[in-house]
Amino acid sequence: MYRVLCLVIISLAVGSLASSQDKKQPDAKKEPAPKVFYAIPLVAKPGEKQKLVLRGKNLAAVKEVKVAGAEGAKVKVLGAKAAGVPNNYPGERVGDSEVELELDLPKDAKPGAVKLTAVNGGGDSNAYTLLVRDDLPAVAEKEDNGGFGTAQAIPAPCAVEGTIKGEKDVDVFKFEGKKGTKVRIEVQAARFGSPVDGFLTLYDADRKVIDSADDVNGSSDPILTVTLPRDGTCFVALIDAHDLGGANFSYRLVVKAE
Ligand SMILES: [Ca+2]
Ligand SMILES: [Ca+2]
């Protein structure tokens, strides 16, 4: 009787152990849900079919990306892979995997409205807000623009689409200003997941600092609003506050009247 009882207890214990393992196993195998950090290129174009790469964490097994916020928008996943981090930068900042897409955006896609969500076996990612061009004239940054003497001339208003291409890259732009004009100079990067932590400095024609900005409104994106003190050339210098950089370090620099 004692032996029978022991066997019953052991088999019950083994049974409950096995059933708890059965319950745990699917969770242990479940892959973590993806996280989308940013898009390359960072700025998307309404009214165009375009290729873009989403970079983040756990994106290597993504087979579906959902788009919301623009009626008629379509997404096709072209591929996904693990993708190393440049210069041993923290993966939490630059991401360690990518999914490549073809995105067809309607003409009336509104800035701030378009959201992309990557899906893997672990579930949905965050809904990533895509940076969509507005009506400002788009200007591509042109290297070498690393000093006052080689500053890239831009119209105002405009929106420059550029890259802090490597460590200690300095991007300098110049525009003609009028005394008393109130201008707004804004970097759009970190708010759209870009690893760029922008630092902006505005100089006058004599290369004297008018004003500078680093982090504003709880974001590491700088915004300067300045009443120009004099007529003449204004220089805008943008750097990464940590002197980091690379092909993924994209930004949009908006210069317009306040
Ligand atoms: Ca650059
Ligand atoms: Ca900053």
Side-chain angles (χ1 to χ4, degrees):
M1 181 64 195
Y2 175 74
R3 179 175 289 182
V4 171
L5 198 62
C6 273
L7 277 174
V8 167
I9 288 169
I10 287 167
S11 71
L12 276 176
V14 169
S16 75
L17 193 69
S19 74
S20 77
Q21 270 178 350
D22 284 350
K23 275 177 203 158
K24 272 182 188 165
Q25 258 172 355
D27 283 341
K29 275 186 184 168
K30 196 172 171 182
E31 60 189 311
K35 285 184 196 163
V36 177
F37 292 176
Y38 55 98
I40 309 166
L42 187 65
V43 187
K45 302 164 196 152
E48 278 191 33
K49 197 181 267 189
Q50 56 219 289
K51 276 190 185 172
L52 66 88
V53 170
L54 295 180
R55 216 177 142 92
K57 300 282 276 185
N58 311 320
L59 294 174
V62 165
K63 293 198 173 54
E64 183 195 356
V65 173
K66 297 185 274 195
V67 58
E71 204 171 325
K74 290 189 201 91
V75 171
K76 193 162 102 187
V77 173
L78 302 177
K81 61 179 182 185
V85 296
N87 307 323
N88 295 319
Y89 288 167
E92 297 309 321
R93 186 164 176 193
V94 296
D96 62 6
S97 48
E98 301 178 346
V99 53
E100 190 184 6
L101 316 172
E102 185 180 79
L103 172 67
D104 196 353
L105 268 189
K107 236 182 181 157
D108 60 357
K110 298 272 179 305
V114 182
K115 312 268 185 189
L116 296 174
T117 304
V119 187
N120 69 5
D124 285 9
S125 73
N126 52 310
Y128 172 72
T129 304
L130 193 63
L131 176 50
V132 175
R133 270 188 192 166
D134 56 20
D135 295 335
L136 287 170
V139 175
E141 181 218 355
K142 284 192 202 88
E143 296 282 354
D144 183 24
N145 57 351
F148 291 109
T150 53
Q152 179 180 347
I154 56 170
C158 82
V160 180
E161 293 169 11
T163 307
I164 301 293
K165 71 174 193 314
E167 292 179 3
K168 297 184 180 167
D169 185 27
V170 182
D171 289 348
V172 187
F173 305 93
K174 61 181 179 181
F175 64 94
E176 293 307 308
K178 278 246 170 282
K179 183 178 176 177
T181 307
K182 200 169 181 191
V183 294
R184 179 186 177 91
I185 305 168
E186 173 180 347
V187 171
Q188 297 171 337
R191 286 168 290 167
F192 298 89
S194 164
V196 171
D197 176 352
F199 187 101
L200 269 180
T201 310
L202 178 67
Y203 302 84
D204 70 10
D206 291 331
R207 306 175 181 185
K208 284 199 188 114
V209 174
I210 299 173
D211 205 352
S212 64
D214 183 354
D215 300 350
V216 173
N217 299 334
S219 156
S220 47
D221 286 344
I223 301 171
L224 274 177
T225 47
V226 174
T227 303
L228 296 179
R230 52 182 279 196
D231 288 351
T233 303
C234 298
F235 294 94
V236 180
L238 173 61
I239 59 168
D240 179 80
H242 309 278
D243 284 335
L244 302 182
N248 300 343
F249 281 60
S250 307
Y251 62 82
R252 184 171 188 254
L253 174 72
V254 171
V255 179
K256 62 180 183 180
E258 170 72 344

